[in-house]
């Protein structure tokens, strides 16, 4: 493991992870209220987690291991730097590095400028996934996949997307999640963890652009090759 690249064991830190996740959902809902202004009602139901106890009644998730939290923030900081470097040269529309309180992950999305059909008519989906995009992110592990990992997906993903071979060699497709993954353990074991992570993000984007037929010039800009000035 390279200096500054913290190992993250979901098995060891799950109780603390769930506590931080629950508290981040409270903060996320409060932030939404502040942004909306006026009188609103907060739904205390937790989102995107296996437990259903309302957040204002939850007394189970109260574990806080300082060492595990330090490891998480160390890893999350490195992951955020990778995502920011991946996004920086892109000449199309993109998001900043977002921290999602629902899934407790970090992610950036790069857009082609073309519309897309949302995967469902759910309020969140129809408003957040109505454009063609490639998303690359990082999570510290969850009950679906008990390891910290980088992930990448395309929306909509055209036939052939799952068959791609990405860099580095440890990257692979996960059928259950419908995403490409690069485990954090493989990142920290690499000679250059930042470069390995960036290779994953860029190779996932190149593959998605080729399969999903994005503008080649726009796709090339993510590798630091901007279109010529005319």
């Amino acid at each position: 493991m390279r200096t500054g690249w913290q190992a993250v064991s979901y098995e060891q830190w799950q109780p603390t992870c769930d506590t931080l996740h629950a508290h981040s959902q409270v903060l996320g809902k409060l932030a939404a209220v502040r942004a909306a202004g006026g009188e609103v009602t907060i739904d205390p139901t937790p989102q995107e987690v296996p437990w259903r106890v309302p957040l204002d009644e939850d007394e189970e998730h109260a574990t806080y291991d300082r060492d595990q939290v330090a490891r998480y923030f160390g890893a999350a900081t490195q992951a955020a730097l990778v995502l920011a470097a991946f996004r920086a040269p892109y000449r199309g529309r993109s998001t900043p590095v977002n921290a999602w309180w629902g899934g407790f992950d970090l992610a950036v999305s790069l857009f082609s400028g073309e519309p897309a059909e949302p995967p469902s008519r759910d309020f969140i989906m129809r408003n957040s996934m109505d454009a063609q995009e490639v998303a690359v992110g990082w999570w510290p592990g969850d009950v679906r996949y008990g390891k910290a990992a980088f992930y990448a997906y395309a929306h909509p993903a055209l036939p052939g997307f799952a068959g791609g071979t990405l860099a580095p060699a440890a990257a692979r497709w996960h059928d259950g999640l419908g995403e490409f993954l690069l485990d954090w353990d493989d990142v920290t074991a690499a000679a250059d963890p930042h470069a390995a992570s960036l290779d994953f993000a860029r190779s996932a984007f190149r593959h998605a652009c080729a399969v999903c037929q994005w503008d080649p010039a726009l796709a090339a800009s993510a590798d630091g090759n901007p279109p010529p000035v005319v």
Side-chain angles (χ1 to χ4, degrees):
M1 184 182 70
R2 300 299 176 263
T3 301
W5 290 78
Q6 298 283 348
V8 177
S9 169
Y10 181 69
E11 181 180 359
Q12 292 179 10
W13 100 292
Q14 181 179 359
T16 295
C17 179
D18 288 348
T19 297
L20 294 185
H21 195 171
H23 280 76
S24 72
Q25 296 213 357
V26 173
L27 294 175
K29 290 172 183 284
L30 291 175
V33 169
R34 186 183 303 114
E39 184 176 346
V40 296
T41 300
I42 297 178
D43 180 1
T45 304
Q47 308 294 318
E48 301 181 52
V49 293
W51 66 87
R52 306 307 298 163
V53 177
L55 295 168
D56 57 345
E57 300 175 12
D58 188 349
E59 297 182 356
E60 175 187 353
H61 299 103
T63 301
Y64 190 87
D65 184 312
R66 289 178 180 271
D67 179 65
Q68 295 296 335
V69 171
R71 286 179 173 275
Y72 161 71
F73 277 109
T77 297
Q78 296 294 348
L81 291 173
V82 169
L83 297 175
F86 164 62
R87 167 186 178 266
Y90 185 59
R91 293 300 183 93
R93 182 169 70 91
S94 64
T95 69
V97 179
N98 287 315
W100 296 107
W101 54 264
F104 203 51
D105 56 326
L106 306 176
V108 294
S109 291
L110 276 54
F111 299 93
S112 70
E114 299 294 329
E117 184 67 24
S120 76
R121 301 312 298 172
D122 168 85
F123 175 81
I124 293 178
M125 291 297 181
R126 73 172 185 264
N127 285 284
S128 66
M129 301 192 73
D130 60 351
Q132 190 178 46
E133 67 174 290
V134 175
V136 180
W138 177 87
W139 68 62
D142 62 20
V143 294
R144 300 170 305 158
Y145 190 77
K147 294 182 179 181
F150 280 100
Y151 65 84
Y153 67 83
H155 171 69
L158 298 184
F161 179 65
T165 300
L166 306 188
R172 68 194 187 286
W173 176 259
H174 190 288
D175 279 328
L177 296 174
E179 300 172 343
F180 285 100
L181 299 179
L182 176 62
D183 287 348
W184 188 248
D185 289 344
D186 292 316
V187 170
T188 59
D192 186 336
H194 183 90
S197 304
L198 199 53
D199 282 347
F200 171 74
R202 288 175 173 166
S203 66
F205 184 68
R206 286 193 296 266
H207 171 62
C209 288
V211 172
C212 300
Q213 303 172 3
W214 284 33
D215 179 347
L218 192 62
S221 73
D223 279 328
N225 300 310
V229 176
V230 295

